[in-house]
Amino acid sequence: MLKRSLACGLALAFLAAPLTITPATAKSGPKSSPKASAKAAVKAPPNVVFILADDLDTADLHRFPNISRLASSGTTFSHFYVTNPWCCPSRSSILRAQYIHSHGVTSNRFPTGGFPRFKPLEESTIGTWMKAAGYRTALFGKYLNQYPSPEVPRTYIPPGWDEWAVPVTNLYREYGYALNDDGIIVERGEQPEDYLTDVLAQKAAGFVRRSDPFFLYLTPTAPHRPANHAPRHADAFEGVKAPRTPSYNQRDVSAEPLWVQQRGRMSPRVKRNIDQMYRDRLRSTAGLDDLVGTVVAALEEAGKLDDTYIFFGSDNGFHLGQHRLRSGKTTPYEEDIRVPMIVRGPGVPAGRVDTSLGSTVDLGPTFAELAGAQVPGFVEGRSLVPLLEGRRVPWRDAVLVEFDKPDYAPGCPPTYRALRTETHAYVEYATGERQLYDMIADPHQLTNLAATADPALVAGLSGRLAALHACSGAGCRVADTILGERSDFPPSGVQWIGPRPQNAPHVIG
């Protein structure tokens, strides 16, 4: 059993009342003329676009020009983590701003996960919060695994969404799918113009050209396997191989948990397969890059780019041969739990990298603050708005990742809980095994220190993990700072432009 009790007798403060968040655009300042004050009072709230890729890791984004331009014109969060490295649990956390132990969607399939498991929670999501704040809302692309279930028609649209375009068949093929397009089922074929990523890009471009304010949740399936790509990218990245990082096909895994030790070193055939998957993922990501360019161009043509926040991220990362693991996800390694997060918008510094620990539970509160929306007391994340404005504010020093292995997925790791701090990655498995990595000295997680580290360090991390795994609501914003906000090393929130410091994670630029 994994520990759920609070460590060292620390009590968490739970705040149940709904929170009203003031728009980031509302600034206090010196008195002005009545005419100027009236103009400021009626200033429209900003538009928000959230582009969520599927299984996109943090490596190699510098290869893609539109994503790179987005980063150079905004802020990149270099330490941004998912609550769970699997599609449906992660997306449920995004929609509800909760950790998976709170929303209860722990896998991709019913009864432990999938759309049927999430459906009772649909009355309160980022869609309903933004709509209640007066925003025109849209969700285009992937919603949740197993949508729609047999209990609802294929034309079903959840609460909170004014416009809706979500595949109901062949979700990952990108061709030959049926699209629920605002309650009308549209069959798409096998022609280049049917490519799902391009279809979503054009729908998004049309949506952002219409009335303000709007919230667009744009969720293409790229580069999720089979990583199908547009014909125009068929010859791209020919001969490119997956990065041979220090952990690629790791030689010594004797200190790792049994589920890693049982994986033999990869054969030449397996390596070739990984290289092919890598090339296909790059080609698929090229279509995603085109989508980003299409949305930015549409905003610019409509004169809305300067009044729109654009968020770009992923629901989980992806490993490609690291630690002897074939291509996939769901593990607590950095490749799977750390994801891109780029934000461009009014007042967001350009070309900046922020190293503060971020989590996908932060997205909902961030959108809400930008919109002046009210969020319920169950929300567990923090608004990123102060960080986007470059302000020094009290912030967390740990993030939580949770994974429950379902019976239908024997190839997944055992159930685990993981804690990522500024200096360490710590994991506890249901098997009783542990992992501990010094992320400053060993950023590629080659040496598991769990058996040799100072027992006081291990006990402290275990207590932090137990506290976060037991938290709920606003109490999570206490549990993630038990050791004090913004510890001294490495300095949280450090920002740099240009060459990255030694041992810094890969970022664009």
Side-chain angles (χ1 to χ4, degrees):
M1 293 288 292
L2 294 171
K3 297 180 181 178
R4 294 185 63 94
S5 60
L6 295 180
C8 307
L10 291 168
L12 301 182
F14 293 90
L15 307 176
L19 175 66
T20 301
I21 301 178
T22 304
T25 51
K27 305 286 185 182
S28 60
K31 292 182 179 181
S32 57
S33 68
K35 184 176 180 180
S37 299
K39 183 178 180 180
V42 298
K43 183 178 180 180
N47 302 310
V48 179
V49 173
F50 175 33
I51 303 173
L52 184 70
D54 200 335
D55 291 5
L56 182 66
D57 60 279
T58 59
D60 293 314
L61 294 184
H62 62 280
R63 292 178 180 270
F64 303 100
N66 293 305
I67 296 173
S68 295
R69 277 192 289 271
L70 190 68
S72 65
S73 60
T75 290
T76 297
F77 287 87
S78 62
H79 289 70
F80 206 84
Y81 293 87
V82 295
T83 60
N84 177 289
W86 215 1
C87 299
C88 198
S90 178
R91 289 167 184 261
S92 298
S93 289
I94 290 170
L95 287 164
R96 294 272 295 183
Q98 289 178 299
Y99 294 107
I100 72 165
H101 70 257
S102 293
H103 61 64
V105 180
T106 61
S107 79
N108 284 347
R109 300 183 192 174
F110 191 75
T112 56
F115 164 70
R117 177 84 173 185
F118 184 82
K119 189 176 183 303
L121 307 176
E122 287 183 322
E123 293 298 324
S124 185
T125 67
I126 55 174
T128 64
W129 308 337
M130 298 296 278
K131 184 174 174 62
Y135 275 63
R136 185 169 54 89
T137 62
L139 193 157
F140 297 153
K142 178 179 177 179
Y143 180 42
L144 295 169
N145 300 75
Q146 293 191 314
Y147 167 85
S149 67
E151 288 72 31
V152 301
R154 295 202 299 174
T155 55
Y156 172 78
I157 299 174
W161 303 105
D162 295 313
E163 297 189 32
W164 184 261
V166 175
V168 294
T169 63
N170 293 334
L171 174 65
Y172 299 116
R173 279 199 61 225
E174 301 252 17
Y175 296 97
Y177 55 91
L179 190 70
N180 176 358
D181 194 348
D182 287 335
I184 299 173
I185 302 302
V186 178
E187 300 286 345
R188 305 291 306 212
E190 306 286 339
Q191 300 304 310
E193 61 268 22
D194 295 312
Y195 185 58
L196 177 61
T197 301
D198 290 347
V199 170
L200 298 176
Q202 292 306 314
K203 290 193 70 66
F207 178 82
V208 303
R209 291 188 179 105
R210 296 194 289 277
S211 60
D212 303 332
F214 59 76
F215 172 59
L216 171 61
Y217 184 14
L218 182 57
T219 66
T221 59
H224 192 289
R225 71 173 83 213
N228 288 333
H229 52 266
R232 63 184 178 275
H233 298 134
D235 297 327
F237 306 105
E238 195 62 37
V240 174
K241 293 183 177 181
R244 269 48 174 177
T245 64
S247 63
Y248 180 85
N249 204 20
Q250 188 172 341
R251 284 188 174 275
D252 183 6
V253 295
S254 59
E256 296 300 310
L258 185 60
W259 72 271
V260 180
Q261 293 183 37
Q262 290 174 335
R263 285 158 167 78
R265 300 201 73 205
M266 298 183 297
S267 67
R269 180 184 62 82
V270 170
K271 293 179 181 179
R272 288 193 296 272
N273 290 340
I274 287 176
D275 290 338
Q276 183 60 56
M277 172 57 67
Y278 179 64
R279 288 189 289 271
D280 288 340
R281 284 172 54 82
L282 291 176
R283 291 162 181 154
S284 179
T285 305
L288 174 65
D289 187 66
D290 291 343
L291 174 145
V292 171
T294 296
V295 172
V296 171
L299 288 167
E300 193 165 26
E301 291 165 5
K304 301 181 180 184
L305 185 59
D306 291 342
D307 300 319
T308 301
Y309 289 89
I310 303 174
F311 292 75
F312 177 85
S314 180
D315 58 355
N316 51 255
F318 203 79
H319 56 257
L320 286 159
Q322 294 92 346
H323 314 288
R324 299 189 185 180
L325 303 174
R326 283 61 173 166
S327 55
K329 49 193 175 182
T330 75
T331 82
Y333 286 112
E334 198 82 350
E335 291 83 8
D336 291 2
I337 65 173
R338 187 165 67 90
V339 292
M341 180 49 59
I342 301 167
V343 186
R344 182 201 191 281
V348 178
R352 189 184 72 181
V353 174
D354 192 316
T355 65
S356 304
L357 290 171
S359 171
T360 45
V361 292
D362 299 335
L363 294 170
T366 302
F367 302 153
E369 180 165 358
L370 294 174
Q374 186 178 71
V375 297
F378 64 68
V379 164
E380 294 170 346
R382 297 167 174 264
S383 171
L384 299 169
V385 168
L387 304 185
L388 294 175
E389 295 176 344
R391 289 189 276 130
R392 286 281 184 170
V393 294
W395 197 252
R396 67 163 64 88
D397 53 31
V399 292
L400 173 69
V401 180
E402 303 165 297
F403 179 80
D404 286 6
K405 179 180 179 177
D407 294 338
Y408 68 80
C412 288
T415 293
Y416 64 79
R417 309 291 179 240
L419 186 79
R420 182 64 163 90
T421 73
E422 295 171 324
T423 56
H424 290 87
Y426 175 71
V427 188
E428 290 183 353
Y429 290 90
T431 60
E433 297 168 295
R434 300 185 182 195
Q435 290 170 298
L436 172 62
Y437 303 98
D438 181 335
M439 297 304 296
I440 304 303
D442 180 25
H444 295 283
Q445 299 174 292
L446 297 173
T447 305
N448 181 12
L449 302 172
T452 59
D454 182 349
L457 171 63
V458 176
L461 292 169
S462 182
R464 297 295 314 277
L465 179 57
L468 266 170
H469 181 50
C471 77
S472 66
C476 295
R477 297 188 292 278
V478 177
D480 65 10
T481 54
I482 286 177
L483 294 185
E485 292 159 335
R486 291 195 181 277
S487 56
D488 291 334
F489 183 79
S492 193
V494 167
Q495 301 149 12
W496 69 85
I497 298 175
R500 59 195 178 102
Q502 186 177 8
N503 285 341
H506 177 81
V507 294
I508 297 175

